[in-house]
Amino acid sequence: MTVLYHPVLDRVGDRVLVDGAPGRPFALSRTLPAFAPPDALGDGEPLGDEHLSRKPILLSAASDGSVRIDIGDSSTTVSVRGQRVVGSTMLSAKELARGVVIELGHRVVLLAHHVGTPGGVLDGGVGDESRELVGASDGLRRVLWDIQSIADLDLPVLLRGETGSGKELVARAVHRASPRRDKPFVAVNLGAIAPSLAVSELFGAEKGAYTGSIRRQVGYFEQAHGGTLFLDEIGEAPVELQVALLRTLETGEIQTVGSTQLRKTDVRVVAATDADLEGKVASGSFRAPLLNRLAAYEIWIPPLRERRDDIGRLLVRFLREDLAEIGELQRLAAPTGGAKPWVPASLVARLVDYDWPGNVRQLRNVIRQIVVGNRGRNRADMTPAVERLLVKQPPREPENPQPIPQAPPDPPKAPAPDPPPAAIKAPSDEGPSRSRSASRRKPADVTEAELREALRSCRWDFAATAEKLGISRAAIYMIIERLPGFRTAGDLTEQEIVQCHRELGGDLARMAERLEVSERALLRRVRELGLVTSGVSGR
């Protein structure tokens, strides 16, 4: 259990490891158990808030991985999923894999979640260089371990992760932990550079190299000499730039536009993307040799929803920064007497339970919205503007799908001839030819049994399953999320993946069938664990 919010903010991030074996109830109250920072060597302290009861709440694990919460004689108000618990409630194994937010006494917020083997990976000198990487989740620990492993080597690094997940912060951490830390760090967003200017921007241009060039232009490679060049949005690099980059990575030389001379360069390249580069290689828009060069070492950055236990620490960091900027940092002082914390625990619980499609960047913006929108108030409120930022809007299925428009009929006197055989689309293997939109169904109409049968018959290929059921691929994820009998690759434990990988020899297609998850999502988890795979079908 991790403390996500506490009136004494220095307690945020403390945790206690709970033995989940059946038959061993876990007592939670004001006076026990002891929570401590993840890497603390000494004993911790209980929650200690006077608004919590001394009489314990009991948590009991079941053999199926679920946990029962019994309020018993405790007077502490307990809320789970935003609802007050009366008597008892059950937390399913799937919910615990995602992380369950528990609010105590309207003052303390905890997260019940799974963790791997604690300790170790934050040691070795990475911490001081990586202060901007806030948190102690398993996912972030793996990233810090990767940084420590690669920092002193001059290999190129490819960072992969969703937009807003902190790829530039990881790139800076690699630079700061490397022998190049005292040299320049130059960040370039390739998506913001016009394709026609990309080569000259990176490699420079001689005077007169093109119309309007009245002086020599120094490129980003020269600016980063001796240091690190961070190429964000590498998937947006135009073909001409890809060719030049590949040559530089292979030879260590650059050539400015308008010059015939080659010059040695001493730059470490760290690239980042949220794109499917393998898909771009397959479509011909990205060069395979360049991908192989850039990916000398890959670091996978987990999305915020997979490191939910870090949200409390991030929240405190952003609150302190923004309140200090407007001169109201005193609002975060520990309340005395019967005063309530400036930030309501219910607001924190709402933030933690959100899935953050925009990741850390979105969280940062929402916290700023909260701080600025509550300037001068004695207690922060969930304003309508903030609420709108947190509303999920999943893709909606059209209730009355419109057929694909047909060409108007020809005049009766001049009927159009039948199309030649080559123009007639052959029926698919899954049934007679029909328009995609005409076959759409509502996700609510798909039963659990029907979905499971379709997934198994399609070998857990989500695209084929969606086509078979007549729904969108996005709807598959929506249905799985609401049905307790299913799980995603994100729900799998590290031990499950490693054991299955060992037993099946790394055959990804067979692993996906056995674990009953999407092959594409499983591939990402396998790569995060540094495992080698075979049998990738591209599903």
Side-chain angles (χ1 to χ4, degrees):
M1 282 192 148
T2 297
V3 178
L4 297 177
Y5 191 65
H6 191 283
V8 179
L9 294 185
D10 288 343
R11 300 299 309 277
V12 172
D14 288 2
R15 65 171 53 167
V16 61
L17 296 179
V18 180
D19 184 354
R24 298 180 183 175
F26 173 78
L28 178 63
S29 71
R30 182 201 305 184
T31 58
L32 52 87
F35 288 77
D39 299 289
L41 299 178
D43 295 333
E45 298 179 7
L47 293 174
D49 189 270
E50 61 183 9
H51 292 79
L52 305 183
S53 173
R54 296 178 185 274
K55 295 182 179 179
I57 301 158
L58 295 181
L59 290 82
S60 306
S63 57
D64 62 356
S66 63
V67 170
R68 179 186 180 90
I69 298 179
D70 287 301
I71 304 300
D73 296 330
S74 176
S75 60
T76 300
T77 301
V78 180
S79 297
V80 176
R81 311 178 198 93
Q83 300 294 323
R84 180 173 179 176
V85 177
V86 178
S88 65
T89 189
M90 292 295 295
L91 311 179
S92 70
K94 183 174 182 179
E95 287 179 307
L96 289 168
R98 177 184 184 269
V100 179
V101 181
I102 302 174
E103 184 183 342
L104 302 178
H106 306 297
R107 304 196 28 114
V108 176
V109 179
L110 304 177
L111 183 73
H113 61 108
H114 295 151
V115 294
T117 302
V121 297
L122 291 184
D123 299 332
V126 173
D128 290 341
E129 290 83 10
S130 309
R131 293 298 185 190
E132 294 185 34
L133 297 173
V134 178
S137 63
D138 289 349
L140 187 61
R141 285 172 179 267
R142 285 194 294 269
V143 171
L144 293 174
W145 179 259
D146 284 333
I147 293 171
Q148 176 180 324
S149 301
I150 195 63
D152 63 336
L153 304 178
D154 265 340
L155 294 173
V157 179
L158 179 61
L159 308 179
R160 293 186 184 247
E162 297 179 4
T163 181
S165 58
K167 293 187 287 294
E168 183 170 344
L169 290 181
V170 174
R172 290 184 182 276
V174 171
H175 174 72
R176 290 171 183 159
S178 76
R180 298 174 178 266
R181 64 177 65 88
D182 295 326
K183 300 297 182 179
F185 176 89
V186 178
V188 182
N189 187 334
L190 296 179
I193 300 177
S196 59
L197 300 177
V199 174
S200 61
E201 288 287 329
L202 261 70
F203 296 97
E206 299 297 323
K207 178 181 178 181
Y210 50 85
T211 303
S213 176
I214 60 175
R215 63 178 62 88
R216 185 177 184 277
Q217 176 182 342
V218 178
Y220 290 120
F221 265 95
E222 289 184 80
Q223 295 177 34
H225 185 72
T228 302
L229 179 61
F230 174 54
L231 301 178
D232 199 7
E233 303 290 354
I234 189 65
E236 301 302 315
V239 175
E240 296 82 359
L241 180 59
Q242 293 180 38
V243 174
L245 273 175
L246 178 59
R247 178 181 178 84
T248 295
L249 291 173
E250 289 178 338
T251 66
E253 298 175 332
I254 62 172
Q255 182 177 9
T256 57
V257 177
S259 173
T260 59
Q261 295 182 344
L262 297 175
R263 294 199 301 278
K264 281 289 183 181
T265 182
D266 178 21
V267 173
R268 185 198 198 151
V269 174
V270 178
T273 185
D274 61 353
D276 178 9
L277 293 185
E278 288 77 11
K280 284 179 171 287
V281 168
S283 67
S285 59
F286 201 86
R287 294 175 61 85
L290 177 58
L291 173 57
N292 293 333
R293 282 286 180 176
L294 291 171
Y297 193 85
E298 294 189 11
I299 298 179
W300 290 77
I301 305 170
L304 189 56
R305 62 183 174 274
E306 293 182 8
R307 42 182 292 225
R308 211 175 294 270
D309 45 323
D310 288 338
I311 293 179
R313 289 188 175 191
L314 288 164
L315 170 70
V316 171
R317 164 71 71 89
F318 297 151
L319 282 171
R320 283 174 170 162
E321 289 177 352
D322 289 343
L323 285 168
E325 187 173 345
I326 64 173
E328 296 186 5
L329 187 57
Q330 74 280 0
R331 297 197 179 281
L332 295 182
T336 58
K340 297 179 179 180
W342 187 71
V343 177
S346 59
L347 169 56
V348 176
R350 176 78 170 89
L351 295 176
V352 175
D353 203 41
Y354 185 60
D355 275 344
W356 300 106
N359 292 293
V360 180
R361 183 184 296 124
Q362 184 187 11
L363 173 64
R364 183 74 182 84
N365 292 337
V366 169
I367 299 306
R368 183 174 289 116
Q369 180 88 15
I370 293 172
V371 170
V372 175
N374 288 276
R375 293 185 70 174
R377 295 187 181 182
N378 292 329
R379 186 165 161 83
D381 186 23
M382 177 68 81
T383 63
V386 174
E387 181 66 23
R388 284 196 297 271
L389 290 172
L390 299 182
V391 172
K392 283 187 179 180
Q393 295 185 0
R396 295 183 60 185
E397 295 296 309
E399 296 187 7
N400 297 301
Q402 300 298 317
I404 298 175
Q406 303 294 320
D410 291 321
K413 293 184 179 180
D418 292 336
I424 300 176
K425 183 178 180 181
S428 69
D429 295 335
E430 297 178 7
S433 176
R434 56 182 176 176
S435 72
R436 181 180 297 268
S437 60
S439 65
R440 284 287 184 247
R441 300 168 59 189
K442 293 182 180 180
D445 295 337
V446 179
T447 65
E448 179 174 346
E450 184 181 12
L451 175 59
R452 189 176 298 278
E453 180 183 357
L455 284 167
R456 286 174 174 167
S457 66
C458 296
R459 301 180 63 186
W460 291 82
D461 180 342
F462 279 24
T465 302
E467 186 69 23
K468 184 180 184 70
L469 295 174
I471 59 178
S472 71
R473 182 168 178 164
I476 296 286
Y477 293 95
M478 294 168 57
I479 298 171
I480 287 178
E481 182 67 24
R482 68 175 170 83
L483 292 176
F486 289 91
R487 60 179 182 171
T488 65
D491 298 327
L492 300 175
T493 66
E494 180 177 329
Q495 290 78 7
E496 281 182 287
I497 298 174
V498 172
Q499 181 178 350
C500 186
H501 179 273
R502 181 173 59 253
E503 293 176 355
L504 298 181
D507 189 321
L508 189 72
R510 293 173 61 201
M511 289 176 63
E513 286 187 66
R514 174 180 290 188
L515 297 171
E516 296 194 329
V517 295
S518 162
E519 182 179 318
R520 180 175 298 181
L522 180 60
L523 176 60
R524 180 170 61 82
R525 290 293 310 278
V526 167
R527 284 175 170 171
E528 287 177 353
L529 297 174
L531 302 176
V532 179
T533 59
S534 62
V536 182
S537 67
R539 296 200 297 264

